[in-house]
Amino acid sequence: MVDLETVLSDLKAKEGIIPNPFDDVTYGNFWFEKHHQENVDSIHQPAFQQIEYQLNLLIKDKFRQTKTILLTGDAGCGKSHLLGRLKDKLNSSAYFVYIQPIEDYRYFWRHTLQYTVTSLMQIPEGEKQSQLQLWLKSLPVLNSSDWVEKLLGEKRAFIRHLKNSYPAGIVEAKKFFTALYQLTTDNYDLACEWLAGEDLDEEDLQILGLNKSIDNERLARGILSNFGRITDASKPIIICFDQIERAFSNVFNANTIFHNERLVNFLVLISITQENWQTYKRTMVQSDLARINKNIFLDDITIEEAEKLWINRLKLLHLQCNPQPNSSIYPLEKKILADNALGERINLRNALNLGGKFFAEYIDKIKKIPPPPPNKKRPDFLNKWEQVFAENQQETQKLSIILDYSDEEFLEMFRYVLECLGVENINFQFLSGKNLSNSISTCF
């Protein structure tokens, strides 16, 4: 039998600590966070369906006009959790971009461009190429014609063809199309660095055929807008601005620019706490407010949904137990959630924090349990085993004696082995009748 206490003790022996599956209860960039794999489909399902509906409207729109959705809710209600779930479920229908909270608003456009390209460089589940490569391949002007293969090997022809296909509105067209060409070559990684605004040295720039890096806000804004001026890409780009409190005005100003400059194929998701939204929107100009197509409020989750989150967090530990614990949230209890909920609902982050708190208390109890006494017979048994094993290895080529043990002698040796291995609850004379002396039972 391997119970949870044993599993945790073994982990402590291997890793030096007893892990708490609730240690990290925050959600961030869905391309680098793993917690979104614990998604519970019913959490914020109405909000999910509304966003999916807006995405479908954008896809069906002949002109692919940019749409904007505002996500609000209390701190810790699960806004970032929902963004991760959207990426997991809808990545086949759109390219996903996560914009980290900005630290210095003076570099807003370069920051946004950097995280846009970094996200587009990620490879979606089930694909072999990055979102950026898939986006480039999806352009009808580059779709599977015989001449395309020749075009990809000829830089000038490639750039000239894109210029002719997109004659207006492309900022620094030659530089941008040169970078796109390099995405199709062995210089892919270097081209991504340029598009992301990395400060490349002269040697790298020369390899790409470019004369300067993206070193100012104007150029960064222009390169980012180019993705929204190529109108015939097959799938939209969903740009997720998460935790925008440090750059509130910048984000909404950028959103207005996306709309006013008729950038297309963007679905902009803006996440902010309800408290900050109520404060900031009083200072917003009407034109910025008018560019929000849908406002979605996220409520707290139900106790049942919180319990499912606990189940997902504890699942990996439970799978190592044999047999499985009687409760799928052991060592926790659902009553903890009920006692700390407001009515039938509870804040998502608070639910995970509660799980972490009570699991930590359980770990403390385990640490106080004294270890079992050492098995004194085990070392002697192992020494004897190694000795006999070595002697028999030397006799593998000749067999001189076959020993015939009685049932009683065999059971006595078997009992000795079990005791040396630390097996408990050995029960002799398990059967009745004439087999009484030839029986043994135990529970492993």
Side-chain angles (χ1 to χ4, degrees), residues 44 112 121 148 205 370 386:
H44 303 316
T112 303
M121 289 171 63
V148 170
L205 290 171
E386 291 174 358

Side-chain angles (χ1 to χ4, degrees), residues 21-288:
F22 297 91
D23 275 349
D24 186 0
V25 298
T26 60
Y27 297 85
N29 190 330
F30 44 62
W31 284 112
F32 306 114
E33 294 280 347
K34 299 301 181 183
H35 288 323
H36 59 268
Q37 295 177 355
E38 69 184 18
N39 286 333
V40 175
D41 286 345
S42 62
I43 291 179
H44 303 316
Q45 182 64 9
F48 181 97
Q49 292 172 340
Q50 291 180 64
I51 295 170
E52 186 176 24
Y53 177 74
Q54 293 295 322
L55 174 61
N56 289 332
L57 287 180
L58 174 59
I59 293 173
K60 294 176 181 178
D61 181 8
K62 177 181 178 181
F63 301 104
R64 293 291 184 101
Q65 296 184 59
T66 288
K67 293 183 176 295
T68 301
I69 298 173
L70 180 69
L71 288 177
T72 64
D74 294 335
C77 71
K79 297 182 292 297
S80 299
H81 177 276
L82 176 61
L83 295 181
R85 182 165 159 238
L86 287 166
K87 194 272 294 182
D88 281 355
K89 299 291 186 180
L90 302 179
N91 207 177
S92 60
S93 302
Y95 307 112
F96 273 78
V97 168
Y98 183 90
I99 309 298
Q100 288 283 111
I102 192 171
E103 295 181 1
D104 192 336
Y105 64 87
R106 293 174 300 175
Y107 305 105
F108 173 80
W109 287 106
R110 276 174 278 186
H111 174 90
T112 303
L113 176 63
Q114 175 189 356
Y115 282 98
T116 296
V117 175
T118 299
S119 290
L120 291 177
M121 289 171 63
Q122 304 304 312
I123 300 176
E125 186 174 351
E127 297 286 353
K128 295 181 179 179
Q129 293 183 303
S130 70
Q131 294 191 114
L132 188 54
Q133 290 168 312
L134 295 171
W135 173 82
L136 188 60
K137 285 176 59 178
S138 74
L139 301 181
V141 297
L142 296 178
N143 266 347
S144 59
S145 301
D146 293 338
W147 57 268
V148 170
E149 292 299 323
K150 299 178 181 178
L151 189 67
L152 293 179
E154 176 52 53
K155 177 180 174 182
R156 289 186 179 180
F158 181 96
I159 295 172
R160 183 170 59 252
H161 179 67
L162 287 183
K163 278 187 173 181
N164 292 336
S165 301
Y166 307 106
I170 303 298
V171 176
E172 297 284 4
K174 184 177 180 180
K175 293 179 181 178
F176 183 65
F177 292 142
T178 295
L180 295 189
Y181 169 77
Q182 295 292 0
L183 291 175
T184 69
T185 72
D186 292 339
N187 298 323
Y188 169 81
D189 290 334
L190 202 56
C192 287
E193 290 181 26
W194 185 86
L195 285 168
E198 297 290 338
D199 185 15
L200 303 183
D201 58 31
E202 291 185 9
E203 182 180 352
D204 288 339
L205 290 171
Q206 188 174 5
I207 291 173
L208 293 175
L210 297 165
N211 61 3
K212 65 178 294 187
S213 300
I214 301 173
D215 59 358
N216 61 74
E217 287 291 273
R218 181 196 64 81
L219 184 55
R221 169 181 162 179
I223 297 299
L224 179 62
S225 69
N226 287 343
F227 287 98
R229 295 188 190 281
I230 297 180
T231 61
D232 53 7
S234 62
K235 296 193 296 188
I237 298 175
I238 299 181
I239 302 181
C240 303
F241 287 98
D242 196 16
Q243 304 172 45
I244 67 166
E245 280 74 10
R246 292 184 180 179
F248 178 87
S249 59
N250 299 77
V251 170
F252 282 98
N253 178 59
N255 179 63
T256 297
I257 289 173
F258 289 165
H259 286 265
N260 289 351
E261 295 188 0
R262 294 294 186 265
L263 303 184
V264 297
N265 240 10
F266 285 153
L267 177 61
V268 181
L269 294 181
I270 302 175
S271 168
I272 186 173
T273 64
Q274 177 69 4
E275 180 181 3
N276 286 327
W277 169 242
Q278 294 298 330
T279 300
Y280 291 141
K281 75 175 183 179
R282 302 190 188 101
T283 65
M284 291 176 62
V285 297
Q286 188 60 36
S287 59
D288 286 347

